[in-house]
């Protein structure tokens, strides 16, 4: 990969748009804000940052996240010289933001999903990287861009959240090496930990307890799943960010080999979040045009939640070794 093309493209662009994915997580937001800070530091340019959903409260501490704007606040006729997606496995993950991406004169896709297609002019996809944050770090290092504390906090958060606090199988020696450099550059692990993992509202904890208490267990408890209905979200006044971490709690049960949560969407249809210990979750979700990683994937199914759960279960039962 010739990274100098990225450097020159960013250098020559007069206006740049950075785009994070819908229902954002720490990786897409941390990577976007890190790139915002890095471009400001190295090129003295301010980018626009686009959100497709509200920022979950736990990520409001990310340096410069307050500069990101919701898609509704963008001028639809605007044409950017350069649009960059971060952690966006497929263009449908940026919903109506796709118009801005398609119109941009040049596009870059920075990602680490194994299912990502080369949908941009320049595609920097590293499925071996723990996170998009690690890919951004690699770009910065290769191009000798300057690091600062704000970039370090954003990248550390991206890596921390996508590795499940350095627990998942995407955690490699290089992940710790990069994390160490980020700590040296100003990321404070206990402070970031508190912001991300000890900032849930009472609402979120009680809502998740309610949803988990309705879980169903099949095949000697190897399969665990629950359905989250619109009415539950309304009753608890829970937003989409209240879903974060719920599927992992079902996977954490010792007998679970595959877990999923089906959320009834406001717009109709169902959003599936899947976690597994052995089976390829991305492959199962790909059947429904979704994707992700081997052990963490998702998809959207145009069906009521019970029907969506039934379709997913049919696919899971096709796997010989769960
Ligand atoms: P989560 O369950 O946390 O929403 O997503 C888990 C993983 O699957 C993430 O890496 C996410 O990018 C991916 N993912 C979730 N939903 C979708 C989807 O609808 N399409 C694709 N391609 N990937 C998804
Ligand atoms: Mn990611």
């Amino acid at each position: 990969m010739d990274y100098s093309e990225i450097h020159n493209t960013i250098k020559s662009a007069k206006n740049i748009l950075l785009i994070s994915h819908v229902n954002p997580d720490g990786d897409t937001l941390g990577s976007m804000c890190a790139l915002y800070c890095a471009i400001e530091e190295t090129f003295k340019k301010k980018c626009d940052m686009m959100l497709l959903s509200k920022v979950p409260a736990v990520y409001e501490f990310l340096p410069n996240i307050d500069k990101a704007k919701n898609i509704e606040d963008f001028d639809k006729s605007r044409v950017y010289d350069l649009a960059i997606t971060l952690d966006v496995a497929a263009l449908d993950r940026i919903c109506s933001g796709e118009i801005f991406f398609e119109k941009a004169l040049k596009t870059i896709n920075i990602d680490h999903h194994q299912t990502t297609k080369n949908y941009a002019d320049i595609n920097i996809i590293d499925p071996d990287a723990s996170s998009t944050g690690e890919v951004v770090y690699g770009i910065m290092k290769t191009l000798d861009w300057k690091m600062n504390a704000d970039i370090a906090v954003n990248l550390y958060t991206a890596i921390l959240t996508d590795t499940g606090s350095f627990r998942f199988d995407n955690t490699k020696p290089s992940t710790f090496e990069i994390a160490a450099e980020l700590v040296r550059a100003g990321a404070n692990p206990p402070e970031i930990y508190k912001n991300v993992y000890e900032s849930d509202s009472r609402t979120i904890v009680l809502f998740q307890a309610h949803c988990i208490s309705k879980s169903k267990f099949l095949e000697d408890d190897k399969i665990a799943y629950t359905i989250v209905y619109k009415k539950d979200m309304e009753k608890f006044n829970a937003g989409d960010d209240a879903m974060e971490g719920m599927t992992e709690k079902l996977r954490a049960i010792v007998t679970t080999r595959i877990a999923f949560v089906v959320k009834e969407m406001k717009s109709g249809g169902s959003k599936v979040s899947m976690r597994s210990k052995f089976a390829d979750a991305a492959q199962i979700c790909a059947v429904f045009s979704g994707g992700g990683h081997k052990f963490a994937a998702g998809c959207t199914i145009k069906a009521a939640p019970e029907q969506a759960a039934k379709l997913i279960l049919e696919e899971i039962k096709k796997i010989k070794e769960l």
Side-chain angles (χ1 to χ4, degrees):
M1 161 66 60
D2 181 11
Y3 281 56
S4 62
E5 197 185 344
I6 306 168
H7 186 92
N8 295 334
T9 305
I10 292 175
K11 195 175 171 189
S12 60
K14 285 201 186 62
N15 47 67
I16 304 171
L17 175 65
L18 310 180
I19 316 176
S20 53
H21 64 69
V22 66
N23 301 329
D25 56 14
D27 192 22
T28 194
L29 295 176
S31 299
M32 177 172 73
C33 292
L35 192 58
Y36 174 94
C37 302
I39 291 175
E40 189 174 34
E41 176 81 51
T42 301
F43 300 94
K44 313 289 169 226
K45 283 185 202 183
K46 284 203 180 352
C47 304
D48 284 348
M49 290 190 278
M50 183 181 277
L51 300 164
L52 279 312
S53 332
K54 210 171 149 265
V55 172
V58 296
Y59 296 123
E60 280 170 5
F61 78 97
L62 290 175
N64 282 312
I65 191 73
D66 53 313
K67 314 261 177 18
K69 290 188 300 182
N70 203 281
I71 181 147
E72 275 90 55
D73 300 323
F74 279 79
D75 171 4
K76 294 271 181 304
S77 64
R78 182 91 192 259
V79 177
Y80 283 89
D81 284 347
L82 175 63
I84 306 175
T85 51
L86 294 128
D87 201 43
V88 174
L91 280 178
D92 61 2
R93 302 275 291 152
I94 57 170
C95 318
S96 44
E98 204 172 327
I99 312 160
F100 289 87
F101 189 81
E102 298 292 356
K103 273 200 302 190
L105 304 183
K106 190 105 185 183
T107 55
I108 302 179
N109 158 23
I110 304 176
D111 195 19
H112 71 123
H113 291 93
Q114 60 181 30
T115 51
T116 302
K117 303 274 182 309
N118 290 340
Y119 57 74
D121 298 324
I122 304 172
N123 298 279
I124 306 130
I125 304 158
D126 181 3
D128 291 328
S130 68
S131 52
T132 299
E134 210 175 299
V135 183
V136 172
Y137 177 88
I139 295 170
M140 290 186 60
K141 192 88 184 160
T142 310
L143 294 174
D144 211 15
W145 288 2
K146 239 173 105 185
M147 179 58 69
N148 65 32
D150 283 353
I151 301 171
V153 169
N154 278 311
L155 289 183
Y156 184 92
T157 306
I159 295 169
L160 179 77
T161 53
D162 249 34
T163 57
S165 308
F166 305 100
R167 283 176 302 156
F168 300 157
D169 77 317
N170 54 357
T171 310
K172 310 213 166 73
S174 59
T175 319
F176 289 108
E177 278 151 17
I178 294 169
E181 280 221 28
L182 296 173
V183 172
R184 275 186 212 105
N188 182 327
E191 208 173 276
I192 295 174
Y193 170 80
K194 276 196 203 81
N195 277 311
V196 176
Y197 297 112
E198 291 183 346
S199 302
D200 279 345
S201 64
R202 193 174 72 179
T203 297
I204 288 184
V205 175
L206 296 183
F207 166 73
Q208 291 207 351
H210 168 82
C211 298
I212 285 171
S213 75
K214 306 271 175 197
S215 297
K216 293 192 170 65
F217 299 92
L218 302 170
E219 307 270 331
D220 298 328
D221 296 352
K222 281 190 209 145
I223 305 171
Y225 76 97
T226 191
I227 296 177
V228 177
Y229 293 97
K230 265 192 300 198
K231 63 173 174 15
D232 291 322
M233 300 195 72
E234 281 157 13
K235 188 173 137 199
F236 283 85
N237 195 20
D240 284 334
D241 57 343
M243 303 296 299
E244 185 94 20
M246 205 191 297
T247 325
E248 270 106 2
K249 291 205 175 72
L250 287 178
R251 179 174 59 181
I253 299 167
V254 65
T255 48
T256 301
R257 294 171 81 90
I258 193 157
F260 65 95
V261 173
V262 182
K263 187 188 78 177
E264 183 180 18
M265 296 198 302
K266 278 194 208 112
S267 53
S270 304
K271 174 86 190 95
V272 178
S273 168
M274 188 178 288
R275 299 290 183 271
S276 88
K277 283 182 186 152
F278 303 97
D280 192 337
Q283 218 168 23
I284 300 168
C285 291
V287 174
F288 305 97
S289 306
H293 309 283
K294 185 170 181 195
F295 302 127
C299 60
T300 302
I301 301 180
K302 281 191 190 123
E306 285 86 4
Q307 179 62 16
K310 194 165 158 271
L311 292 170
I312 291 282
L313 285 169
E314 279 168 14
E315 287 306 316
I316 291 175
K317 285 177 184 170
K318 285 183 193 165
I319 305 167
K320 281 198 199 79
E321 283 282 330
L322 251 194

